[in-house]
Amino acid sequence: MEIITKNKVVKATLESLFSLAIMSLTPAIAAASEANLKIPNLSQEQNNLLLWGIVVCVLGMLFGLYQFTKVKKIRAHQSMLDVADTIYETCKTYLIQQGKLLCILFVFIGLCIAFYFGFLQKMPLSGVLLIMAWTILGILGSYTVAWYGIRMNTLANSRTAFVSLEKKPLKLLNIALDAGMSIGVLLVCVELIMMLIILLFVPRELAGSSFIGFAIGESLGASALRIAGGIFTKIADIGSDLMKIVFGIKEDDPRNPGVIADCTGDNAGDSVGPTADGFETYGVTGVALVSFIVLAVQPDLTGILLTWIFVMRILMIITSVASFYINRALSQARFSSKDDFDFEQPLTSLIWITSIFSIIGTFAVSYYILGPGSGVPVELENLWLVLSIIISCGTLGAALIPEFTKVFTSPNSKHVAEVVKASREGGPSLNILSGLVAGNFSSFWIGMVFFLLMFVAYYASGYGLSEIMIYPSIFAFGLVAFGMLGMGPVTIAVDSYGPVTDNAQSIYELSLIETIPKVKEQIQKEFNFKPDFDTAKHYLEANDGAGNTFKATAKPVLIGTAVVGATTMIFSLILVIKDVLGVQPEEILTLLNPYTIFGLLAGGCVIYWFTGASIQSVTTGAYRAVEYIKRNIQLDENASQKASTEKSKEVVKICTQYAQQGMFNIFITIFSFTLAFSCLSAPVSRNDSVALFISYLISIAVFGLFQAVFMANAGGCWDNSKKVVEVDLQEKGTDLHEATVVGDTVGDPFKDTSSVALNPIIKFTTLFGLLAMEIAISESFRNIAPYAGGIFLLIGLFFVWRSFYRMRIPTKE
């Protein structure tokens, strides 16, 4: 049955792919095709099924709140609770400052939305205001879940620290994992329930714009919180760690003013950033698939596939929570009677149980909704298996990628052991070189995993999808990313595990609990157990190593979804150029065209500039922090052994200042370069020049993927090499320990600043580039576009200059 004519197919192709691309990675602007996106009416049966989905989301939110209450009710010693409250107060100060920055950025974005939709697209004021409203809700979503994340983590950190004294390591693990599941499930449920509200209750003619506004807000909030948080946390971390070498003091010495700032940074970079990033990535991927289904699939099948997509998302909540309880029971049976075990084992089993359970559920529910006897059209009855295989590629990938990451970052890995061996004989020099080797090898293997997943999805898409949609391979790539994020609650949970364990170790030291008079008797009387201080410190250090490993595992998953989405968007841009200019892409997108080479070079330049600019912010900020700490640390015998709140706040202030300065320079540079290279690609006399911007975007995506994975895993390897020396070898204070501390300070901005921030950078550049290029090649603007491009290029170069020469460490004449 022919549903649409040939001309309509071409038009639908351009609209659907352009819509998918922009909404899949969107921190800024949307396109005309999105403004005209019409969500179809669903049948009563489909509406009822999705209404049950809202019920599941509400139950998921209640589960998250139950976990929150459960953790909060756990008792802890007041000395530890006081330190946790101090950390939370400094986190609040940081987040308030970030909220002000978001308000400033929203002004720019709001003006762009008003200009594009209101002036260029002639949309009524009510429509523009609706997009603005959902943009604000998207920002508030990212911002609110980030705030919830730090509140949950700063409750769990003190409880984890105190429970370590009980000599019950499984209980120690469960507190941090309860906190992580609370964040992960609530995050996904909040995002999904807002999307279901748009799908079910917003008028059809406005639903598409509402999805756009929501996605814009999510991405804006995540970008600011992720980049600035990454800079903040590593300034504090380096400032704190270097004092161990300079003054020979112990880990998390309360007299070190950088320790409280480091604890704040653990939440700013390892909780706020990933939580907001996960919320945004999970949301916009769904929006992308919704728009593709609406615009690229046969009209009589769109409602069915939309329902299937949302049922799959709801199913993942159920499988994640069920897997959590199954894993809890298995862990109880395996480890409850043990005084010591590898903390990575229960976390690894949770990921695999969730992946396997989710894949089984995907096939079963897809068969029920789409399979024979389900009542769907014949065209879909035979596709339930194909769709299940494609989405399961992503679900399997979310379990495989952590395994490949652990090969290079786990304390038990051979690469980490190699770094330790090299450090023993070669000091910091061979430590750093060995870590670089691990990072490079990890990029190869994880790149091969992405290649395999996308190839299988592409191959499977050839079995019948072309009969119901156009460009099925693009839909398949989107489903792979969707499947990776299907395990979102568990991925976020094991990622959030890290900052809890890191803070717990710091809180133990900052509380000075061992020095409190008659504290053993007090604990035995009030909490009914005899504390074991030596074993507690061992548990906390080992648990922190597991936290480091699983913080590393979530990064390639989020980075991978960005690159998969960028692939979709670049393909969409090619189709837009083909439609507007009437040229065959293969005629100009060739290595024989010099503009292609120019674009590849420019994109690589930007990735390496960004790496340097983000690390420069950390370097200068850490210099300022170390300078302040050296002048103000009090180590004499008569000085107070407690942390100074006033001095700690000053270090936090330094971290915040350089985080926001660095974020502003980076944002303006990326924004300007995107406009510059798109305008310089405008076809004034010939069409060859449009290849410049397309190859620029390809270069950003490819260089960005491998640079991010390399830096993330090299940093994780250095971090856990230090942990092996501290925990397994018990060689703190030795030359070997100092060598690994130096390596860890190099790895800090690698893994927690530059690598993770490349995720929103790739998304922003590719998305905003789609709109910028459409404007540049429009007939009314293309003649003046090169002049505008030259201006924006100068602006971008000026902020490149600022990112170093206004951020560099001052030199004395």
Side-chain angles (χ1 to χ4, degrees):
M1 180 178 62
E2 186 172 348
I3 303 298
I4 48 181
T5 66
K6 183 177 180 181
N7 289 337
K8 289 184 178 178
V9 170
V10 175
K11 182 178 179 181
T13 302
L14 295 171
E15 290 182 343
S16 64
L17 292 174
F18 192 43
S19 176
L20 169 64
I22 290 186
M23 295 218 292
S24 63
L25 300 176
T26 173
I29 310 280
S33 58
E34 290 177 324
N36 298 322
L37 180 67
K38 299 296 188 295
I39 305 297
N41 290 311
L42 303 180
S43 68
Q44 186 61 46
E45 183 181 358
Q46 291 163 350
N47 274 316
N48 290 338
L49 187 59
L50 294 180
L51 284 172
W52 278 109
I54 292 181
V55 174
V56 171
C57 289
V58 171
L59 292 175
M61 293 171 67
L62 291 176
F63 167 82
L65 295 175
Y66 166 75
Q67 294 293 100
F68 179 92
T69 305
K70 181 180 176 182
V71 171
K72 188 176 182 180
K73 285 182 177 179
I74 298 173
R75 299 174 65 204
H77 195 273
Q78 192 61 44
S79 63
M80 293 183 173
L81 295 176
D82 290 342
V83 176
D85 286 341
T86 300
I87 294 171
Y88 177 60
E89 289 302 317
T90 55
C91 287
K92 283 171 59 178
T93 302
Y94 166 76
L95 261 184
I96 290 170
Q97 290 297 320
Q98 289 302 99
K100 294 176 181 178
L101 177 62
L102 281 173
C103 290
I104 295 172
L105 295 179
F106 173 72
V107 172
F108 291 101
I109 298 304
L111 290 174
C112 292
I113 291 173
F115 175 76
Y116 183 72
F117 284 100
F119 182 74
L120 296 180
Q121 296 300 318
K122 310 299 182 185
M123 181 179 287
L125 179 62
S126 59
V128 177
L129 293 177
L130 181 67
I131 296 176
M132 293 281 195
W134 279 104
T135 302
I136 294 172
L137 286 174
I139 294 172
L140 290 176
S142 291
Y143 189 66
T144 302
V145 297
W147 199 293
Y148 178 81
I150 64 165
R151 176 68 288 196
M152 180 75 265
N153 286 343
T154 50
L155 286 174
N157 56 13
S158 55
R159 276 76 178 174
T160 301
F162 185 68
V163 165
S164 67
L165 296 168
E166 284 193 52
K167 210 173 183 178
K168 295 180 179 179
L170 183 60
K171 188 175 180 180
L172 183 79
L173 177 139
N174 285 339
I175 293 175
L177 198 52
D178 283 344
M181 282 298 294
S182 173
I183 297 169
V185 173
L186 189 135
L187 175 155
V188 172
C189 289
V190 169
E191 180 275 326
L192 184 51
I193 201 170
M194 295 176 79
M195 290 188 65
L196 285 170
I197 289 172
I198 296 173
L199 183 65
L200 294 175
F201 300 113
V202 173
R204 299 299 84 184
E205 67 276 10
L206 300 176
S209 298
S210 299
F211 275 126
I212 296 166
F214 181 60
I216 289 171
E218 285 181 304
S219 290
L220 177 61
S223 297
L225 293 172
R226 182 58 127 166
I227 297 173
I231 296 172
F232 181 105
T233 183
K234 294 304 107 178
I235 293 174
D237 200 353
I238 293 172
S240 175
D241 280 352
L242 286 180
M243 295 305 104
K244 292 185 289 187
I245 296 177
V246 174
F247 295 109
I249 58 179
K250 64 181 180 179
E251 182 92 15
D252 300 317
D253 192 308
R255 297 169 296 176
N256 180 357
V259 172
I260 291 291
D262 186 19
C263 294
T264 303
D266 289 337
N267 290 283
D270 296 335
S271 178
V272 170
T275 303
D277 197 1
F279 182 83
E280 171 254 358
T281 304
Y282 199 86
V284 297
T285 304
V287 171
L289 289 173
V290 167
S291 64
F292 188 93
I293 290 170
V294 169
L295 296 170
V297 176
Q298 292 181 3
D300 59 335
L301 304 179
T302 55
I304 300 170
L305 281 182
L306 280 175
T307 303
W308 176 75
I309 283 291
F310 276 92
V311 169
M312 289 298 102
R313 302 189 70 156
I314 295 161
L315 174 67
M316 298 307 177
I317 297 173
I318 298 172
T319 56
S320 294
V321 174
S323 299
F324 168 71
Y325 282 113
I326 292 171
N327 187 67
R328 174 65 62 90
L330 292 174
S331 298
Q332 187 70 24
R334 294 172 62 192
F335 305 119
S336 61
S337 60
K338 294 186 176 181
D339 290 337
D340 201 7
F341 61 87
D342 184 354
F343 286 103
E344 288 188 11
Q345 292 182 11
L347 299 175
T348 300
S349 64
L350 174 61
I351 291 175
W352 277 105
I353 289 171
T354 307
S355 180
I356 294 169
F357 195 20
S358 297
I359 290 173
I360 293 172
T362 295
F363 279 87
V365 175
S366 295
Y367 180 84
Y368 174 77
I369 294 178
L370 303 177
S374 61
V376 302
V378 178
E379 300 96 319
L380 278 178
E381 281 190 356
N382 299 323
L383 293 177
W384 71 271
L385 183 61
V386 174
L387 293 171
S388 297
I389 290 172
I390 294 172
I391 196 172
S392 295
C393 284
T395 309
L396 179 62
L400 280 176
I401 292 170
E403 290 299 320
F404 277 84
T405 302
K406 286 193 293 182
V407 168
F408 302 96
T409 61
S410 170
N412 303 316
S413 78
K414 292 182 179 179
H415 282 278
V416 169
E418 178 77 6
V419 172
V420 174
K421 289 179 183 178
S423 304
R424 186 177 294 279
E425 297 300 331
S429 177
L430 292 188
N431 173 282
I432 293 170
L433 289 174
S434 296
L436 294 176
V437 170
N440 281 302
F441 270 113
S442 73
S443 290
F444 171 80
W445 286 112
I446 291 180
M448 293 300 290
V449 171
F450 284 126
F451 170 82
L452 178 63
L453 293 173
M454 294 179 70
F455 179 80
V456 172
Y458 161 73
Y459 188 79
S461 69
Y463 287 86
L465 288 185
S466 59
E467 297 175 7
I468 67 167
M469 66 178 65
I470 47 182
Y471 293 100
S473 59
I474 305 302
F475 182 64
F477 293 158
L479 279 183
V480 170
F482 182 86
M484 285 184 185
L485 296 169
M487 289 173 56
V490 168
T491 301
I492 297 298
V494 297
D495 189 28
S496 297
Y497 186 93
V500 173
T501 59
D502 201 350
N503 266 194
Q505 189 177 9
S506 300
I507 283 175
Y508 182 92
E509 298 293 346
L510 289 167
S511 68
L512 297 173
I513 192 166
E514 295 182 42
T515 65
I516 298 175
K518 298 183 179 180
V519 69
K520 287 188 176 181
E521 293 79 1
Q522 178 193 2
I523 292 174
Q524 192 161 9
K525 179 180 179 181
E526 294 184 14
F527 299 96
N528 298 318
F529 70 87
K530 185 176 181 180
D532 186 333
F533 295 119
D534 292 332
T535 304
K537 287 184 282 191
H538 168 74
Y539 287 157
L540 290 172
E541 289 176 333
N543 203 18
D544 187 30
N548 289 337
T549 300
F550 282 88
K551 280 191 295 185
T553 62
K555 294 166 186 173
V557 175
L558 295 177
I559 293 165
T561 58
V563 174
V564 172
T567 302
T568 303
M569 288 188 292
I570 294 167
F571 182 75
S572 305
L573 179 56
I574 292 171
L575 293 179
V576 172
I577 292 171
K578 177 181 177 181
D579 181 51
V580 174
L581 301 181
V583 299
Q584 293 301 315
E586 61 270 18
E587 294 179 1
I588 57 175
L589 300 179
T590 169
L591 290 177
L592 298 178
N593 182 350
Y595 286 99
T596 301
I597 305 299
F598 297 153
L600 293 174
L601 291 172
C605 289
V606 170
I607 289 296
Y608 283 92
W609 156 78
F610 168 76
T611 301
S614 53
I615 294 180
Q616 178 66 44
S617 299
V618 172
T619 302
T620 306
Y623 172 86
R624 294 291 192 187
V626 169
E627 183 183 47
Y628 175 83
I629 294 170
K630 281 183 176 179
R631 289 201 313 263
N632 291 276
I633 194 169
Q634 297 292 329
L635 299 178
D636 58 87
E637 295 180 357
N638 297 325
S640 173
Q641 298 298 305
K642 293 185 177 181
S644 168
T645 302
E646 181 181 347
K647 294 176 182 177
S648 298
K649 285 183 177 180
E650 188 62 32
V651 178
V652 171
K653 181 179 178 182
I654 293 170
C655 297
T656 304
Q657 172 191 349
Y658 283 94
Q660 294 197 329
Q661 286 183 6
M663 168 64 191
F664 184 77
N665 287 333
I666 290 169
F667 179 83
I668 297 298
T669 304
I670 293 294
F671 180 84
S672 299
F673 277 160
T674 305
L675 288 172
F677 288 113
S678 60
C679 289
L680 291 172
S681 299
V684 178
S685 57
R686 298 179 59 185
N687 293 325
D688 291 355
S689 60
V690 297
L692 170 67
F693 192 60
I694 294 172
S695 57
Y696 173 79
L697 295 180
I698 292 172
S699 184
I700 289 283
V702 174
F703 274 95
L705 168 66
F706 290 102
Q707 179 80 333
V709 172
F710 155 69
M711 299 185 78
N713 290 338
C717 188
W718 280 316
D719 196 352
N720 270 342
S721 299
K722 181 190 73 171
K723 193 59 60 178
V724 165
V725 172
E726 294 174 342
V727 179
D728 298 339
L729 303 180
Q730 296 289 313
E731 293 192 38
K732 286 186 177 181
T734 64
D735 291 341
L736 174 62
H737 186 226
E738 287 190 6
T740 57
V741 169
V742 172
D744 182 39
T745 58
V746 175
D748 280 336
F750 267 51
K751 65 185 175 65
D752 290 325
T753 305
S754 297
S755 63
V756 293
L758 278 167
N759 178 27
I761 290 299
I762 293 170
K763 290 189 290 186
F764 178 84
T765 301
T766 315
L767 161 71
F768 188 66
L770 286 166
L771 175 66
M773 191 62 179
E774 188 180 27
I775 295 173
I777 64 177
S778 63
E779 189 173 356
S780 60
F781 187 75
R782 68 180 66 160
N783 288 328
I784 63 173
Y787 300 102
I791 293 172
F792 281 112
L793 181 61
L794 291 175
I795 294 173
L797 291 173
F798 172 74
F799 277 92
V800 167
W801 177 84
R802 274 183 58 92
S803 67
F804 176 71
Y805 290 99
R806 289 294 185 183
M807 295 291 291
R808 63 180 175 174
I809 298 171
T811 56
K812 297 180 180 179
E813 294 295 336

